[in-house]
Amino acid sequence: MSDKFSKIYDLSIKDPEKFWQEAANDIFWFKKPTKILNKSNPPFYKWYEDGVTNTCYNALDFHIDQGKGDKTALIYDSPITGNKSKFTYEELRSKVSKFAGALKDQGINKGDRVIIYMPMIPEAVVAMLACARIGAIHSVVFGGFASNELASRIDDSKAKLLVTASCGFEPGRTVEYKPLVDDAIKQAQHKISKMILFQRKDHEVKLNAPMEISWDEAHANAKDTDCVEMNSNEFAYILYTSGTTGTPKGIVRDIGGHIVALKWTMKNIYNIDADDIWWSASDIGWIVGHSYIVYAPLFKGCTTVLFEGKPVGTPDAGAFWKIISDYKVKSLFTAPTAFRAIKKEDPEGKFFSKYDLSKFESLFLAGERADPDTIKWAENLLKVPVIDHWWQTETSWAISSNCTGIEMMKTKYGSACKAVPGYDVKIIKSDQTLAKPNEMGDIVVKLPLPPGTFPTLWNADQRYKENYMSNYEGYYQTYDAGHIDEDGYIWIMSRTDDIINVAGHRLSTGAIEEVLSEHQSVAECAVLGIADKLKGQLPIGLIVLKAGVDKDNETITKECVQMVRDKIGPVAAFKVAIVIKRLPKTRSGKILRGTIRKIADSVEYKMPPTIDDPAILDEIKEDLIKNNILKSA
């Protein structure tokens, strides 16, 4: 480790209370905390427990008080609808303050839960911040999510009110929200008392008064509303992770630690200052959208971009370059899947040359492991650092990253760099011993976790303890597997349940995928282990080709098999690679390896609620049947 980074990191591990007390001086408190960390009831740690603050005040009012009210806070750009708008901090606060009054008029008070089921429009951001302003707990559900999933979130949160819109737009289709919401309300055991619906132009829907009112009606008599004082350990929001079975897990975020940690990350991890333009190309329904479209950039006082579009198809593979060029974006944070989609459609980067990216300084990737080939492709095109970093819904900010605001470190392709200050990351093997450098095992984080992570699950302390804090005493289990090398670089190789066991050899799907993605014709790939009577499991590779590839599939698959044999060895027993049209993914871009594995093993599976396009699973079945992996039904 270099001196500057290692000193900061070491302090955060050796004296976390001092480290996070200093960081807390950078935010606004109605009452500054004197108790920095309460360790009396592990694993339920409390940061800043006697502090009093407000999320919305730190996001908006604080900057206005500093005389920065006329600075642009939010840029909205929707290539799907052609709408664009900008909001200063003053203008955004005015909208938030008024909607906070509208929520109060509907009986929403401190501690009440509000479900937000919205597309990527400014009103979604306004609704989130308005909840924060009055101390209501929001639970954002991805717009267009299945009715039964929305119903389960209504039931678990006991939400009092639902904020939605008439529809959302995807390339080539309109997603009507009202029928989905109506069905969810019918299914839910808990009954919400009110719905506020934003009517999108030319897509207005009929509302059933008095329970359902429009966004405009809700504002009719609304008054501007001030921020309420909130205890640091009260909850800002619930964000549900979509478990494949049973009740979804409600990740909660406490207010004080959330503000402190996220504001700290903007400069220290992403090197973003208040005068910079920042863009996170995600969705507010996901953790990246919460943390890095809405909260962290506004806590920092910079300008954040809200993009209603896709990396390809709105209108083409130059969509990202246009946004960066139009708004002089300094840094972009998105999923590797987005770049693989761009690489697939425009492998030569022809669209890139049309735009001016002279102000662009760095690209951050997270969500899926970024394969070295995609990183190198992006580096060659962009001529800026491309940084793969690792974090989870549970943590709300990066566990490992190149902390560019502290000190730029060298890139190791395939690694998510080093542990970020605050995180004491270890590798534990299946025999419960600590791994040596480069030894594979479960990735864990020593407790207590830093501020801004999850202090528990919504109404489920025991589940929190059993799921995350019990398998390795004194550690948070990430459910990711990998190793740490001799330089302290962390290598995330797969989810724990994606480790495949071939005749007693534990192999990571990530290592095989890394080799496949190096093939010049491959745009993206997924490797999974399928059941085998002799060896336990055998790996198969599913590969999607770049646009314009003229080599025949059989040649490509043979070359891919040989590459894995050459680089990983016969131990992998890798003999099957199948060319497919597209991979099934969640709407946040994660490949559904577990679901594909169940299909291949003829195991019953539940349709993942977050799947982008269910029809892809039927395509995958056909491909597996054609290649004799699966017997025809």
Side-chain angles (χ1 to χ4, degrees), residues 16 73 137 187 210 229 287 293 304 307 327 346 351 370 469 485 492:
I137 299 168
Q187 287 184 44
E229 296 187 5
I287 184 56
I293 295 174
T304 183
F307 175 69
Y327 301 115
D346 184 22
F351 283 102
M469 310 294 177
D485 69 18
I492 317 295

Side-chain angles (χ1 to χ4, degrees), residues 223-256:
K223 294 180 174 62
D224 286 323
T225 306
D226 286 334
C227 294
V228 301
E229 296 187 5
M230 300 294 291
N231 177 271
S232 184
N233 294 142
E234 291 182 283
F235 297 145
Y237 65 77
I238 308 167
L239 181 57
Y240 286 95
T241 61
S242 45
T244 49
T245 57
T247 317
K249 294 193 291 278
I251 306 295
V252 290
R253 205 73 65 208
D254 57 347
I255 291 167

Side-chain angles (χ1 to χ4, degrees), residues 56 60-61 64 89-105 125-134 215 218-219 221-227:
C56 185
L60 301 174
D61 302 67
I64 295 164
Y89 274 88
E90 191 79 68
E91 289 165 343
L92 189 55
R93 181 179 69 172
S94 176
K95 287 182 175 295
V96 168
S97 172
K98 196 70 82 181
F99 192 61
L103 290 174
K104 295 280 280 183
D105 289 346
V125 177
V126 167
M128 290 169 76
L129 292 167
C131 288
R133 196 166 188 84
I134 59 173
W215 182 271
H219 282 79
N221 301 304
K223 294 180 174 62
D224 286 323
T225 306
D226 286 334
C227 294

